């Protein structure tokens, strides 16, 4: 255990607290929505710091490599599903984003013996925009703020699809490069 892994575990532990706050008071009580937004923001911030600390201080572990993306997907997935269940976000958005995450994870698992698909800047930007959009939509705001939250969410959907297609291309390159490398005995 190191500080980066502790932050990852804290993020995982925050997810059920976030969900409880999101649905408390029928899901639309102002105080609980602010609490849910604060918990979401806290968890999202730990994602930023745990990766930086791990890389800066050489704290990258196999546990962290596995737990960090699980924590990210649990937080984003819980928020999207929760917002859709409450009627605050269209289900198609949740399905596109969650479907992409499952698909990319399966692609990574499929090609892992042939090579690694690294996280790119596009994926990091996608996660940032998703988090900002969710944060705004969690807050009990209306009017221009709600419109801004939805505009961010539509941008997040576009980034989600574009980066998902990029991962498909990368997986194909890794698959075929790895396959031909094995055939040559490399």
């Amino acid at each position: 255990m190191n500080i980066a892994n502790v932050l990852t575990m804290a993020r995982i532990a925050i997810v059920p607290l976030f969900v409880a706050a999101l649905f408390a008071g029928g899901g639309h009580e102002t105080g609980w929505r602010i609490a849910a937004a604060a918990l979401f923001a806290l968890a999202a911030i730990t994602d930023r710091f745990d990766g930086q600390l791990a890389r800066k201080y050489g704290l990258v572990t196999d546990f962290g490599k596995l737990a960090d993306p699980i924590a990210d997907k649990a937080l984003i997935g819980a928020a999207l599903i929760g917002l859709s269940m409450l009627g605050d976000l269209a289900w198609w958005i949740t399905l596109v984003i969650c479907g992409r995450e499952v698909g990319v994870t399966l692609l990574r698992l499929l090609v892992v013996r042939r090579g690694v698909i690294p996280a790119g800047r596009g994926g990091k930007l996608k996660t940032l925009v998703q988090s900002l959009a969710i944060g705004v939509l969690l807050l009990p705001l209306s009017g221009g703020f709600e419109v801004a939250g939805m505009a961010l969410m539509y941008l997040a959907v576009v980034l989600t699809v574009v980066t998902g297609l990029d991962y498909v291309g990368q997986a194909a390159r890794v698959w075929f490069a790895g396959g031909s490398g094995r055939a040559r005995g490399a």
Side-chain angles (χ1 to χ4, degrees):
M1 271 296 159
N2 59 48
I3 187 64
N5 289 342
V6 168
L7 287 173
T8 298
M9 293 304 296
R11 189 162 66 258
I12 292 170
I14 289 171
V15 172
L17 299 174
F18 158 72
V19 170
L22 180 60
F23 284 100
H28 290 100
E29 191 174 297
T30 300
W32 285 112
R33 284 300 281 261
I34 291 171
L39 287 166
F40 181 85
L42 177 64
I45 289 168
T46 67
D47 181 35
R48 174 87 171 145
F49 288 124
D50 66 3
Q52 283 181 337
L53 289 170
R55 286 183 296 278
K56 183 175 181 179
Y57 296 107
L59 303 175
V60 176
T61 64
D62 288 339
F63 173 80
K65 289 178 189 175
L66 177 67
D68 186 65
I70 290 171
D72 297 344
K73 288 168 181 38
L75 179 65
I76 296 291
L80 293 170
I81 291 167
L83 286 168
S84 290
M85 288 176 70
L86 292 170
D88 296 337
L89 185 66
W91 275 104
W92 72 265
I93 293 172
T94 297
L95 293 173
V96 166
I97 293 174
C98 290
R100 181 264 192 209
E101 297 305 327
V102 169
V104 164
T105 299
L106 292 174
L107 274 175
R108 283 185 162 164
L109 292 173
L110 180 68
V111 302
V112 71
R113 291 193 177 252
R114 295 175 183 247
V116 175
I117 303 173
R121 287 185 183 165
K124 292 176 183 179
L125 177 61
K126 172 223 32 129
T127 301
L128 173 64
V129 175
Q130 284 176 354
S131 296
L132 289 173
I134 290 168
V136 173
L137 293 176
L138 286 170
L139 290 170
L141 303 170
S142 59
F145 289 107
E146 187 176 12
V147 170
M150 284 309 301
L152 280 169
M153 187 57 74
Y154 290 132
L155 176 59
V157 169
V158 169
L159 291 169
T160 297
V161 171
V162 169
T163 58
L165 293 172
D166 181 53
Y167 274 107
V168 170
Q170 289 184 58
R173 285 189 294 279
V174 168
W175 181 262
F176 292 114
S180 62
R182 288 178 188 263
R184 290 189 307 259

